[in-house]
Amino acid sequence: GEKVEQHESTLSVREGDSAVINCTYTDTASSYFPWYKQEAGKSLHFVIDIRSNVDRKQSQRLTVLLDKKAKRFSLHITATQPEDSAIYFCAASWDMGYKLTFGTGTSLLVDP
Amino acid sequence: EAAVTQSPRNKVAVTGGKVTLSCNQTNNHNNMYWYRQDTGHGLRLIHYSYGAGSTEKGDIPDGYKASRPSQENFSLILELATPSQTSVYFCASGGSGTGGDNYAEQFFGPGTRLTVL
């Protein structure tokens, strides 16, 4: 089955800097890649996704890049703020979101 | 706003006991999911459902059963709880065609912290 590896377990940046979280996947059939955010002590919520028919998607300060050849995708956060501090999970799906395989999470700390 | 609720929020069980975790969603989503979250493993899918009466095995179904008696309710059942099932359990609804522009978005409940002694 699909395996998603999230390369950074922790990431610390200064407020205002950019942060990049990288993920790789194994199943070439995967075509949908969402990101979820979990703030301390809370549940997860969706932040952004990308489908395999594009290689870049931006939403405000968030950009997702997809490299299908390398089976790699990444979340870029610009102008980080303390409220960006959270655990970020990447995920992949071959059936357009019915069933997700999650990475292990990256704990992002934004120092004010 | 999507609404997924879980009960109980915290549960302490004894080894060998039966545990039922409940999930309710008011979004009229067809799909519902049960995950567990453990440090170092992220979220792992236990069971999911495409609609009332259906349950499907996820990636780690051993030791768990699921029940979907209605569109709104999805339960996770541990018939014989073991300490290795100590975890935080999340229910979610949605996936594929349910989130508007974010059409495959899953909406998560607040989680249930289960401790098996």
Side-chain angles (χ1 to χ4, degrees):
Chain A
E2 172 68 282
K3 288 184 174 22
V4 177
E5 185 173 353
Q6 205 160 339
H7 297 268
E8 300 84 5
S9 58
T10 60
L11 183 60
S12 184
V13 300
R14 290 186 178 176
E15 183 177 358
D17 287 351
S18 294
V20 181
I21 302 171
N22 296 287
C23 290
T24 53
Y25 61 98
T26 58
D27 191 346
T28 54
S30 287
S31 56
Y32 174 69
F33 307 91
W35 290 83
Y36 284 79
K37 177 182 180 181
Q38 183 179 34
E39 294 166 33
K42 296 190 177 180
S43 188
L44 287 83
H45 66 267
F46 172 92
V47 290
I48 192 170
D49 61 8
I50 190 167
R51 304 178 209 177
S52 59
N53 60 340
V54 297
D55 56 16
R56 184 180 190 273
K57 182 176 180 179
Q58 181 174 357
S59 175
Q60 299 180 320
R61 293 186 297 110
L62 304 180
T63 301
V64 181
L65 302 179
L66 174 62
D67 181 344
K68 292 188 289 291
K69 283 187 178 178
K71 289 187 281 187
R72 179 173 58 221
F73 59 113
S74 56
L75 175 67
H76 298 246
I77 307 173
T78 59
T80 54
Q81 302 165 1
E83 51 264 40
D84 293 329
S85 295
I87 301 174
Y88 290 83
F89 292 94
C90 60
S93 172
W94 62 267
D95 58 1
M96 297 310 287
Y98 277 115
K99 185 169 171 285
L100 296 176
T101 299
F102 283 87
T104 51
T106 296
S107 179
L108 174 64
L109 177 63
V110 179
D111 293 318
Chain B
E1 181 76 25
V4 180
T5 57
Q6 295 181 230
S7 64
R9 295 292 312 279
N10 291 280
K11 172 76 177 177
V12 178
V14 295
T15 298
K18 182 177 181 178
V19 176
T20 300
L21 306 183
S22 299
C23 178
N24 177 275
Q25 55 106 356
T26 58
N27 311 308
N28 200 33
H29 289 157
N30 289 331
N31 303 334
M32 295 187 75
Y33 307 83
W34 276 107
Y35 297 92
R36 61 178 285 176
Q37 183 179 18
D38 304 286
T39 303
H41 291 280
L43 267 76
R44 291 180 290 175
L45 181 63
I46 305 169
H47 284 288
Y48 60 106
S49 168
Y50 291 129
S54 97
T55 61
E56 306 289 335
K57 292 182 179 179
D59 298 321
I60 54 163
D62 292 347
Y64 302 93
K65 291 184 180 178
S67 173
R68 182 87 181 270
S70 65
Q71 180 81 338
E72 298 80 17
N73 295 294
F74 190 35
S75 297
L76 186 69
I77 302 147
L78 291 65
E79 295 277 5
L80 294 169
T82 69
S84 64
Q85 294 175 313
T86 294
S87 187
V88 179
Y89 291 85
F90 287 98
C91 174
S93 75
S96 197
T98 57
D101 287 343
N102 303 317
Y103 74 109
E105 179 179 353
Q106 293 188 16
F107 299 86
F108 283 79
T112 294
R113 185 172 296 275
L114 173 65
T115 302
V116 183
L117 302 175

